[in-house]
mmCIF file of all heavy atoms in Angstrom:
data_model
loop_
_atom_site.group_PDB
_atom_site.id
_atom_site.type_symbol
_atom_site.label_atom_id
_atom_site.label_comp_id
_atom_site.label_asym_id
_atom_site.label_seq_id
_atom_site.Cartn_x
_atom_site.Cartn_y
_atom_site.Cartn_z
ATOM 1 N N ARG A 1688 67.128 50.497 168.276
ATOM 2 C CA ARG A 1688 67.051 51.935 168.516
ATOM 3 C C ARG A 1688 68.352 52.648 168.161
ATOM 4 O O ARG A 1688 68.375 53.873 168.060
ATOM 5 C CB ARG A 1688 66.769 52.206 169.990
ATOM 6 C CG ARG A 1688 65.375 51.835 170.407
ATOM 7 C CD ARG A 1688 65.253 52.121 171.857
ATOM 8 N NE ARG A 1688 63.987 52.765 172.160
ATOM 9 C CZ ARG A 1688 63.711 53.332 173.326
ATOM 10 N NH1 ARG A 1688 64.642 53.362 174.260
ATOM 11 N NH2 ARG A 1688 62.550 53.868 173.541
ATOM 12 N N ILE A 1689 69.424 51.885 168.044
ATOM 13 C CA ILE A 1689 70.697 52.518 167.676
ATOM 14 C C ILE A 1689 70.525 53.120 166.284
ATOM 15 O O ILE A 1689 70.018 52.471 165.374
ATOM 16 C CB ILE A 1689 71.835 51.489 167.663
ATOM 17 C CG1 ILE A 1689 71.965 50.848 169.045
ATOM 18 C CG2 ILE A 1689 73.141 52.123 167.231
ATOM 19 C CD1 ILE A 1689 72.940 49.702 169.090
ATOM 20 N N PRO A 1690 70.947 54.375 166.109
ATOM 21 C CA PRO A 1690 70.741 55.021 164.809
ATOM 22 C C PRO A 1690 71.411 54.250 163.674
ATOM 23 O O PRO A 1690 72.458 53.643 163.862
ATOM 24 C CB PRO A 1690 71.406 56.383 164.983
ATOM 25 C CG PRO A 1690 71.506 56.589 166.444
ATOM 26 C CD PRO A 1690 71.563 55.262 167.077
ATOM 27 N N PHE A 1691 70.776 54.317 162.515
ATOM 28 C CA PHE A 1691 71.221 53.545 161.364
ATOM 29 C C PHE A 1691 72.663 53.851 160.981
ATOM 30 O O PHE A 1691 73.418 52.964 160.607
ATOM 31 C CB PHE A 1691 70.292 53.832 160.182
ATOM 32 C CG PHE A 1691 70.576 52.977 158.986
ATOM 33 C CD1 PHE A 1691 70.162 51.657 158.949
ATOM 34 C CD2 PHE A 1691 71.257 53.497 157.895
ATOM 35 C CE1 PHE A 1691 70.428 50.870 157.858
ATOM 36 C CE2 PHE A 1691 71.521 52.707 156.801
ATOM 37 C CZ PHE A 1691 71.105 51.396 156.778
ATOM 38 N N SER A 1692 73.055 55.124 161.056
ATOM 39 C CA SER A 1692 74.396 55.471 160.585
ATOM 40 C C SER A 1692 75.475 54.899 161.503
ATOM 41 O O SER A 1692 76.642 54.870 161.148
ATOM 42 C CB SER A 1692 74.555 56.983 160.464
ATOM 43 O OG SER A 1692 74.086 57.596 161.637
ATOM 44 N N VAL A 1693 75.105 54.419 162.673
ATOM 45 C CA VAL A 1693 76.080 53.745 163.527
ATOM 46 C C VAL A 1693 76.001 52.229 163.322
ATOM 47 O O VAL A 1693 77.018 51.561 163.150
ATOM 48 C CB VAL A 1693 75.824 54.074 165.015
ATOM 49 C CG1 VAL A 1693 76.818 53.336 165.885
ATOM 50 C CG2 VAL A 1693 75.912 55.559 165.243
ATOM 51 N N ILE A 1694 74.772 51.726 163.324
ATOM 52 C CA ILE A 1694 74.625 50.273 163.287
ATOM 53 C C ILE A 1694 74.951 49.721 161.895
ATOM 54 O O ILE A 1694 75.500 48.632 161.772
ATOM 55 C CB ILE A 1694 73.204 49.850 163.746
ATOM 56 C CG1 ILE A 1694 73.184 48.383 164.165
ATOM 57 C CG2 ILE A 1694 72.154 50.067 162.692
ATOM 58 C CD1 ILE A 1694 73.758 48.116 165.515
ATOM 59 N N ALA A 1695 74.663 50.482 160.833
ATOM 60 C CA ALA A 1695 74.895 49.972 159.478
ATOM 61 C C ALA A 1695 76.365 49.606 159.240
ATOM 62 O O ALA A 1695 76.650 48.495 158.795
ATOM 63 C CB ALA A 1695 74.390 50.959 158.431
ATOM 64 N N PRO A 1696 77.324 50.505 159.524
ATOM 65 C CA PRO A 1696 78.708 50.092 159.274
ATOM 66 C C PRO A 1696 79.142 48.930 160.161
ATOM 67 O O PRO A 1696 79.925 48.087 159.725
ATOM 68 C CB PRO A 1696 79.520 51.349 159.583
ATOM 69 C CG PRO A 1696 78.652 52.191 160.423
ATOM 70 C CD PRO A 1696 77.251 51.894 159.993
ATOM 71 N N VAL A 1697 78.609 48.889 161.379
ATOM 72 C CA VAL A 1697 78.970 47.768 162.255
ATOM 73 C C VAL A 1697 78.446 46.457 161.663
ATOM 74 O O VAL A 1697 79.152 45.448 161.626
ATOM 75 C CB VAL A 1697 78.427 47.988 163.686
ATOM 76 C CG1 VAL A 1697 78.697 46.778 164.554
ATOM 77 C CG2 VAL A 1697 79.046 49.225 164.294
ATOM 78 N N ILE A 1698 77.213 46.493 161.134
ATOM 79 C CA ILE A 1698 76.674 45.290 160.482
ATOM 80 C C ILE A 1698 77.536 44.918 159.279
ATOM 81 O O ILE A 1698 77.859 43.754 159.065
ATOM 82 C CB ILE A 1698 75.207 45.502 160.033
ATOM 83 C CG1 ILE A 1698 74.317 45.717 161.251
ATOM 84 C CG2 ILE A 1698 74.705 44.316 159.235
ATOM 85 C CD1 ILE A 1698 72.882 46.045 160.897
ATOM 86 N N LEU A 1699 77.931 45.933 158.492
ATOM 87 C CA LEU A 1699 78.765 45.657 157.322
ATOM 88 C C LEU A 1699 80.062 44.973 157.744
ATOM 89 O O LEU A 1699 80.498 43.998 157.120
ATOM 90 C CB LEU A 1699 79.091 46.960 156.580
ATOM 91 C CG LEU A 1699 77.958 47.553 155.753
ATOM 92 C CD1 LEU A 1699 78.358 48.916 155.207
ATOM 93 C CD2 LEU A 1699 77.607 46.625 154.593
ATOM 94 N N VAL A 1700 80.681 45.467 158.800
ATOM 95 C CA VAL A 1700 81.942 44.876 159.272
ATOM 96 C C VAL A 1700 81.704 43.427 159.701
ATOM 97 O O VAL A 1700 82.457 42.520 159.343
ATOM 98 C CB VAL A 1700 82.515 45.705 160.449
ATOM 99 C CG1 VAL A 1700 83.642 44.953 161.142
ATOM 100 C CG2 VAL A 1700 83.011 47.051 159.952
ATOM 101 N N ILE A 1701 80.631 43.213 160.458
ATOM 102 C CA ILE A 1701 80.365 41.852 160.942
ATOM 103 C C ILE A 1701 80.032 40.915 159.783
ATOM 104 O O ILE A 1701 80.455 39.765 159.756
ATOM 105 C CB ILE A 1701 79.243 41.878 162.007
ATOM 106 C CG1 ILE A 1701 79.788 42.557 163.258
ATOM 107 C CG2 ILE A 1701 78.757 40.486 162.330
ATOM 108 C CD1 ILE A 1701 78.783 42.748 164.356
ATOM 109 N N CYS A 1702 79.303 41.444 158.779
ATOM 110 C CA CYS A 1702 79.030 40.635 157.584
ATOM 111 C C CYS A 1702 80.329 40.243 156.882
ATOM 112 O O CYS A 1702 80.506 39.102 156.456
ATOM 113 C CB CYS A 1702 78.155 41.406 156.594
ATOM 114 S SG CYS A 1702 76.437 41.516 157.094
ATOM 115 N N ALA A 1703 81.239 41.216 156.758
ATOM 116 C CA ALA A 1703 82.507 40.953 156.072
ATOM 117 C C ALA A 1703 83.282 39.869 156.822
ATOM 118 O O ALA A 1703 83.841 38.954 156.213
ATOM 119 C CB ALA A 1703 83.333 42.227 155.960
#
Side-chain angles (χ1 to χ4, degrees):
Chain A
R1688 289 179 137 192
I1689 301 173
F1691 186 77
S1692 48
V1693 178
I1694 199 78
V1697 175
I1698 296 175
L1699 285 173
V1700 168
I1701 291 176
C1702 285

